[in-house]
Structure formats: structure tokens, C-alpha cells
Amino acid sequence: MCRIFSHISSLKVALRHGHICNFKEDLRVDGRGCEDYRCVEVETDVVSNTSGSARVKLGHTDILVGVKAEMGTPKLEKPNEGYLEFFVDCSANATPEFEGRGGDDLGTEIANTLYRIFNNKSSVDLKTLCISPREHCWVLYVDVLLLECGGNLFDAISIAVKAALFNTSIPRVRVLEDEEGSKDIELSDDPYDCIRLSVENVPCIVTLCKIGYRHVVDATLQEEACSLASLLVSVTSKGVVTCMRKVGKGSLDPESIFEMMETGKRVGKVLHASLQSVLHKEESLGPKRQKVGFLG
Amino acid sequence: MAGLELLSDQGYRVDGRRAGELRKIQARMGVFAQADGSAYIEQGNTKALAVVYGPHEIRGSRARALPDRALVNCQYSSATFSTGERKRRPHGDRKSCEMGLQLRQTFEAAILTQLHPRSQIDIYVQVLQADGGTYAACVNAATLAVLDAGIPMRDFVCACSAGFVDGTALADLSHVEEAAGGPQLALALLPASGQIALLEMDARLHEDHLERVLEAAAQAARDVHTLLDRVVRQHVREASILLGD
């Protein structure tokens, strides 16, 4: 990011002269319209020792998500549900500023946003993660690894999380109870005998950046540097908004928030549809699929 | 040894390799656009990414600047999902700090640091999947990343691990072989001169056997060099085609 900020004053000049976006023509510097995403590359099952994993590349933004299922005890207030744990690691790979504990603040912020967008009953059916009420459940550790940032982190991360959850398979277990009432957990012998999560209602984040009088989706680092405030909307595939947050140091007026929300819903639905089709296509190829990973 | 047989009577290892055989190595340079240099390597199921920034001005306190050479700064981290059991912290624990220091020692021996006085070179290594030989994979990935950044080095640094089972030296240990205990040797070699940049040996091994284990690790490191050299040449060829020469 540091490199961008050294050019910020010249960018602001460019903005004043209308160089960053030509809104009358609905055209941005890289040739996109205001509601267009950059090309998104999604690949699932990239780390073989996880329950599910995905890598998403959105422009220069590169995200790797690994999901690990581990057995734990259900929370007291929800005895018949499992739960998700989020962790975001902003590695020094992305920028040297994240070295040591430098990326912790951003990591916590993103993790908290993820907790918030999943904090509703419809996102993931947590009851399927329960093994035996009050005693055992599956805990899904969703670990996000930030490898390179090129703007629009939140959207890329939410897409990667959805893809990784889609790819997740949890081994099926049976609870056996003997005459004395002691319980035994038996793991299925067949590695293909597993539970898959339904990701139909898993939301994706659409970030709308306010630049001048208009808003754009999927801002690059340069565009983010020009925007004073942005609105983060998490939308499900049906267009239901599960969470909304304003980020950035500037302010937004209520009217534009409603406008941005509408755009968010519209763009989010399209995004979900294309993501779903890509994931199903990849799934249908099965084990024959050529794995590319970081070698391609 | 009870249970697992690490070396069969026919001379095959658990994963079907011969004693001196390496796992499959695949690598790529220039993975990321924003870093000065980057590389990715797969050695069997061990996967590592390395990124290099610099040489640039010293970050933070100026007092750290060295008047006669560049400061080599290394950070090792391994993804929380990289190991069989989930890790709680990706970096900052004792093993990561030690690994960072070892990498620093290795690369201070290889990079021509006196060419960039009062500046800093950052090498960040990230392990995505750990299946034995993480140190070796990190060094090999970092070598490619440093080459990709165009930082002058004395030579490639090629690393490999070796072990000793039933009177035979095994090269490039996998996680199963590492976990079985027994002696383990990590070696970083500058292949052209045959100099050793880092040597570390755990557990007990009879002095008489050391030479054989060392030779097995060195031979494996030379094999790694052949492969890395091929990757670099391929990368340069592709880059020159793109530039239109």
C-alpha cells in the first residue's frame, strides 16, 4: 500500500480533473463500468490437509482460505449447534508493513466483519455440525491468509470463504451408546462418507466506494485511495442483506446509502450466480480436474 | 522400531522412494506482481511461498543500519491450516523465530550484502502446507525469490534434509519419517563451491555415520540445484519472449 500513498496527491488532482472515472460515460481507468468486477479466479481444494480450501485472485488481490473441522464442545447457549471460528492472517508477504504484529489490527477487523456477516440463522445450518447435544460438535476453523493486496479485500475474502465452505467435507460420525449409558464416537471408515455444507445462503460482501458523486464496486488500490468513505453490504444469493457497515474516514449522506445498498443487492445477486456456476462446474470435473494452484 | 517400517528389505521407503531419491519438486518464479521478487515451490506435499522486498531504505530505527553491508531481514510463518493439527498462531512462536534466524544466517552467507550498504533486504517465507522438510523448502523458495528480485548472490543456495535409518542414509525426509524420531540433518549448500551455508543436526548419530549422511544430503542438494537451475532458465526464457528479444 505504501507505494500508492506516495502518489496520492497526484491522484487527487487527477480525480478533480475527472481522470479516475469518467462518470458520464460510465468508464473507469481500467476500462470497467461502475458496477463491473475485475476478473475473479477461483480454485478450490488447493491445500490437501484441510477439510476445505480455496484460493481467490481478484486483480492483484490474492487470498487463500483453509477450513479445518475439529471436534469441540457446543457453546452453552446453543447446545445443539456447532460453530465457526474466523481468523485472518495478514502475512508480511502482502506488504512489509504487516511484518511482526503489524497486520494484527487489520486481521482482527476483517475477522470481526466475518463474524458479523455470519451472525444469523440462515447463513450456515449450524445444526448439521452438532454430533451429540451439549457434548460434541464440529468447530469449523476458517483461516484466511492474505497473500497480496490489490484493493477490495473484503469482497475477495468473502468470495474465498464461500468457496472454501462449499469445498468443505466433514467426516461423518456416529454416536454409539452402550447399556451403561456411556457414549462412544465412531468415525466412518469410508473417506468419501462425509457431510457437505449447504452454502446457498452464505453471503458475499459487496463494497461500494464513494468517489466524487458516484459509487463504484470492486475498487482498485488507486480508487480506494481516492474514496473518502465506502459502504460494505453483505448480500445473499437471494438479495437479502445480512450486514451493513460504513468504513473509511469520510461521511456519507443517508440518500446515497440507500442508493449504494440497492446497487449492492443488484451486483451481489449477479456475483453469487456466477460464483455458484463456477463452483458447480469445478465440482462436476471431480478428481480429473487439473490442479493449478500457484504453479499456473 | 515398532510399528512402521521406514525402509523395506527391498530398499524402498514408506512412500515408495529409494534412499537417495527426492520427492517431486515443482516451482515457479514471479508469482506476485507487487513484490520485488517472489517464488513458490512444492516438494512433495510441502508447499512454500517466498517473497522478497528490497534492497530498500532501513525501515524503523536507523540505528539498525549497517555501514558496510545490507541488513537481511527474514520472517518465517506457517499458515494456521498448514499442519495436521491446527496451529494457533502463524508466526511469533519459538519455532518460527528460530527458523527466521536460520534463514537469515543462510542468506547472509549467500547474498553479496556488501554491494548495498545501509540498506535492507526483506525475505518473507510462508509455508502453506507442511509435510516434512519445511526448512529446505523455505530456503529453496527464498533462493528463487531472491533471484527473481535480481539481488546479486554468490551462488544458488540449495537445501535438503537427510536422515539415517537401519544403516542407510535417507535424503529429503517426509513428515512420517521425521515424526518417527531418529537423527535428522538439515543442510544448505552453495553447490558451485561446495561450501556449506547452514548445517544442523538433531538427535544422536555415531560419528562414523556422519560423513555418509552429510554426503547424502549434499548429493540431494546438488540434485535440487539442477532442478532449480532449470526453473530459473525456463523463467528467463519466458520473460525474454515477453520482452520481445
mmCIF file of all heavy atoms in Angstrom, chain A residues 14-32:
data_model
loop_
_atom_site.group_PDB
_atom_site.id
_atom_site.type_symbol
_atom_site.label_atom_id
_atom_site.label_comp_id
_atom_site.label_asym_id
_atom_site.label_seq_id
_atom_site.Cartn_x
_atom_site.Cartn_y
_atom_site.Cartn_z
ATOM 1 N N ALA A 14 -5.779 14.214 -10.246
ATOM 2 C CA ALA A 14 -6.362 13.508 -11.376
ATOM 3 C C ALA A 14 -7.871 13.371 -11.195
ATOM 4 O O ALA A 14 -8.644 13.520 -12.139
ATOM 5 C CB ALA A 14 -5.731 12.130 -11.499
ATOM 6 N N LEU A 15 -8.269 13.111 -9.937
ATOM 7 C CA LEU A 15 -9.685 12.930 -9.653
ATOM 8 C C LEU A 15 -10.445 14.232 -9.913
ATOM 9 O O LEU A 15 -11.512 14.231 -10.500
ATOM 10 C CB LEU A 15 -9.848 12.500 -8.199
ATOM 11 C CG LEU A 15 -11.273 12.417 -7.690
ATOM 12 C CD1 LEU A 15 -11.962 11.264 -8.364
ATOM 13 C CD2 LEU A 15 -11.282 12.234 -6.200
ATOM 14 N N ARG A 16 -9.856 15.336 -9.461
ATOM 15 C CA ARG A 16 -10.521 16.621 -9.632
ATOM 16 C C ARG A 16 -10.749 16.911 -11.122
ATOM 17 O O ARG A 16 -11.721 17.517 -11.504
ATOM 18 C CB ARG A 16 -9.659 17.721 -8.996
ATOM 19 C CG ARG A 16 -10.438 18.542 -7.992
ATOM 20 C CD ARG A 16 -9.523 19.407 -7.186
ATOM 21 N NE ARG A 16 -9.005 18.710 -6.016
ATOM 22 C CZ ARG A 16 -7.795 18.897 -5.539
ATOM 23 N NH1 ARG A 16 -6.947 19.702 -6.134
ATOM 24 N NH2 ARG A 16 -7.402 18.249 -4.457
ATOM 25 N N HIS A 17 -9.837 16.464 -11.910
ATOM 26 C CA HIS A 17 -9.995 16.682 -13.345
ATOM 27 C C HIS A 17 -10.762 15.550 -14.007
ATOM 28 O O HIS A 17 -10.844 15.492 -15.217
ATOM 29 C CB HIS A 17 -8.625 16.863 -14.003
ATOM 30 C CG HIS A 17 -7.928 18.080 -13.532
ATOM 31 N ND1 HIS A 17 -8.286 19.338 -13.929
ATOM 32 C CD2 HIS A 17 -6.922 18.252 -12.636
ATOM 33 C CE1 HIS A 17 -7.517 20.241 -13.322
ATOM 34 N NE2 HIS A 17 -6.683 19.595 -12.526
ATOM 35 N N GLY A 18 -11.268 14.664 -13.191
ATOM 36 C CA GLY A 18 -12.119 13.614 -13.731
ATOM 37 C C GLY A 18 -11.364 12.527 -14.475
ATOM 38 O O GLY A 18 -11.857 11.952 -15.425
ATOM 39 N N HIS A 19 -10.125 12.235 -14.031
ATOM 40 C CA HIS A 19 -9.348 11.230 -14.765
ATOM 41 C C HIS A 19 -9.572 9.819 -14.249
ATOM 42 O O HIS A 19 -9.420 8.864 -14.976
ATOM 43 C CB HIS A 19 -7.853 11.562 -14.688
ATOM 44 C CG HIS A 19 -7.510 12.762 -15.501
ATOM 45 N ND1 HIS A 19 -6.362 13.471 -15.323
ATOM 46 C CD2 HIS A 19 -8.196 13.391 -16.481
ATOM 47 C CE1 HIS A 19 -6.340 14.491 -16.164
ATOM 48 N NE2 HIS A 19 -7.447 14.464 -16.872
ATOM 49 N N ILE A 20 -9.883 9.701 -12.943
ATOM 50 C CA ILE A 20 -10.043 8.365 -12.375
ATOM 51 C C ILE A 20 -11.305 7.697 -12.916
ATOM 52 O O ILE A 20 -11.315 6.534 -13.259
ATOM 53 C CB ILE A 20 -10.072 8.468 -10.829
ATOM 54 C CG1 ILE A 20 -8.653 8.461 -10.285
ATOM 55 C CG2 ILE A 20 -10.883 7.393 -10.176
ATOM 56 C CD1 ILE A 20 -7.969 7.125 -10.314
ATOM 57 N N CYS A 21 -12.361 8.430 -13.001
ATOM 58 C CA CYS A 21 -13.609 7.893 -13.531
ATOM 59 C C CYS A 21 -14.232 8.916 -14.457
ATOM 60 O O CYS A 21 -14.322 10.090 -14.093
ATOM 61 C CB CYS A 21 -14.618 7.657 -12.413
ATOM 62 S SG CYS A 21 -14.365 6.185 -11.514
ATOM 63 N N ASN A 22 -14.630 8.470 -15.584
ATOM 64 C CA ASN A 22 -15.400 9.351 -16.446
ATOM 65 C C ASN A 22 -16.845 8.926 -16.275
ATOM 66 O O ASN A 22 -17.318 8.019 -16.941
ATOM 67 C CB ASN A 22 -14.916 9.194 -17.881
ATOM 68 C CG ASN A 22 -15.555 10.206 -18.781
ATOM 69 O OD1 ASN A 22 -16.565 10.808 -18.419
ATOM 70 N ND2 ASN A 22 -14.971 10.406 -19.938
ATOM 71 N N PHE A 23 -17.540 9.550 -15.315
ATOM 72 C CA PHE A 23 -18.836 9.015 -14.911
ATOM 73 C C PHE A 23 -19.911 9.183 -15.970
ATOM 74 O O PHE A 23 -20.823 8.386 -16.053
ATOM 75 C CB PHE A 23 -19.292 9.648 -13.598
ATOM 76 C CG PHE A 23 -18.453 9.205 -12.457
ATOM 77 C CD1 PHE A 23 -17.812 10.108 -11.652
ATOM 78 C CD2 PHE A 23 -18.292 7.854 -12.207
ATOM 79 C CE1 PHE A 23 -17.028 9.690 -10.613
ATOM 80 C CE2 PHE A 23 -17.513 7.434 -11.153
ATOM 81 C CZ PHE A 23 -16.874 8.353 -10.360
ATOM 82 N N LYS A 24 -19.779 10.218 -16.766
ATOM 83 C CA LYS A 24 -20.802 10.417 -17.808
ATOM 84 C C LYS A 24 -20.810 9.225 -18.751
ATOM 85 O O LYS A 24 -21.836 8.801 -19.239
ATOM 86 C CB LYS A 24 -20.518 11.708 -18.575
ATOM 87 C CG LYS A 24 -21.108 12.923 -17.872
ATOM 88 C CD LYS A 24 -21.016 14.151 -18.764
ATOM 89 C CE LYS A 24 -21.215 15.378 -17.909
ATOM 90 N NZ LYS A 24 -20.184 16.380 -18.143
ATOM 91 N N GLU A 25 -19.622 8.707 -18.987
ATOM 92 C CA GLU A 25 -19.503 7.573 -19.909
ATOM 93 C C GLU A 25 -19.570 6.243 -19.164
ATOM 94 O O GLU A 25 -19.461 5.194 -19.785
ATOM 95 C CB GLU A 25 -18.163 7.640 -20.647
ATOM 96 C CG GLU A 25 -17.878 8.967 -21.306
ATOM 97 C CD GLU A 25 -18.460 9.028 -22.697
ATOM 98 O OE1 GLU A 25 -18.622 7.961 -23.307
ATOM 99 O OE2 GLU A 25 -18.755 10.143 -23.152
ATOM 100 N N ASP A 26 -19.662 6.275 -17.815
ATOM 101 C CA ASP A 26 -19.622 5.064 -17.004
ATOM 102 C C ASP A 26 -18.350 4.268 -17.292
ATOM 103 O O ASP A 26 -18.387 3.089 -17.604
ATOM 104 C CB ASP A 26 -20.881 4.208 -17.260
ATOM 105 C CG ASP A 26 -20.965 3.013 -16.316
ATOM 106 O OD1 ASP A 26 -20.516 3.138 -15.164
ATOM 107 O OD2 ASP A 26 -21.470 1.962 -16.745
ATOM 108 N N LEU A 27 -17.219 4.967 -17.235
ATOM 109 C CA LEU A 27 -15.958 4.331 -17.618
ATOM 110 C C LEU A 27 -14.885 4.650 -16.587
ATOM 111 O O LEU A 27 -14.715 5.800 -16.197
ATOM 112 C CB LEU A 27 -15.539 4.864 -18.997
ATOM 113 C CG LEU A 27 -14.416 4.114 -19.679
ATOM 114 C CD1 LEU A 27 -14.852 2.714 -20.051
ATOM 115 C CD2 LEU A 27 -13.971 4.868 -20.923
ATOM 116 N N ARG A 28 -14.165 3.592 -16.146
ATOM 117 C CA ARG A 28 -13.092 3.788 -15.172
ATOM 118 C C ARG A 28 -11.733 3.656 -15.842
ATOM 119 O O ARG A 28 -11.654 3.286 -17.007
ATOM 120 C CB ARG A 28 -13.243 2.756 -14.044
ATOM 121 C CG ARG A 28 -14.424 3.078 -13.145
ATOM 122 C CD ARG A 28 -15.019 1.848 -12.533
ATOM 123 N NE ARG A 28 -14.207 1.308 -11.443
ATOM 124 C CZ ARG A 28 -14.590 0.268 -10.725
ATOM 125 N NH1 ARG A 28 -15.747 -0.344 -10.976
ATOM 126 N NH2 ARG A 28 -13.837 -0.179 -9.765
ATOM 127 N N VAL A 29 -10.663 3.942 -15.078
ATOM 128 C CA VAL A 29 -9.313 3.959 -15.652
ATOM 129 C C VAL A 29 -8.986 2.667 -16.392
ATOM 130 O O VAL A 29 -8.405 2.668 -17.473
ATOM 131 C CB VAL A 29 -8.257 4.177 -14.545
ATOM 132 C CG1 VAL A 29 -6.871 4.230 -15.135
ATOM 133 C CG2 VAL A 29 -8.550 5.426 -13.780
ATOM 134 N N ASP A 30 -9.380 1.527 -15.796
ATOM 135 C CA ASP A 30 -9.023 0.251 -16.417
ATOM 136 C C ASP A 30 -10.081 -0.219 -17.413
ATOM 137 O O ASP A 30 -10.076 -1.382 -17.821
ATOM 138 C CB ASP A 30 -8.761 -0.808 -15.344
ATOM 139 C CG ASP A 30 -9.818 -0.803 -14.258
ATOM 140 O OD1 ASP A 30 -10.838 -0.113 -14.439
ATOM 141 O OD2 ASP A 30 -9.637 -1.483 -13.236
ATOM 142 N N GLY A 31 -10.995 0.654 -17.782
ATOM 143 C CA GLY A 31 -11.951 0.304 -18.827
ATOM 144 C C GLY A 31 -13.222 -0.341 -18.339
ATOM 145 O O GLY A 31 -14.085 -0.707 -19.142
ATOM 146 N N ARG A 32 -13.355 -0.484 -17.004
ATOM 147 C CA ARG A 32 -14.571 -1.105 -16.490
ATOM 148 C C ARG A 32 -15.670 -0.071 -16.309
ATOM 149 O O ARG A 32 -15.388 1.121 -16.209
ATOM 150 C CB ARG A 32 -14.285 -1.726 -15.107
ATOM 151 C CG ARG A 32 -13.472 -2.958 -15.157
ATOM 152 C CD ARG A 32 -13.306 -3.521 -13.767
ATOM 153 N NE ARG A 32 -12.429 -2.695 -12.942
ATOM 154 C CZ ARG A 32 -12.440 -2.702 -11.627
ATOM 155 N NH1 ARG A 32 -13.315 -3.447 -10.975
ATOM 156 N NH2 ARG A 32 -11.600 -1.961 -10.942
#
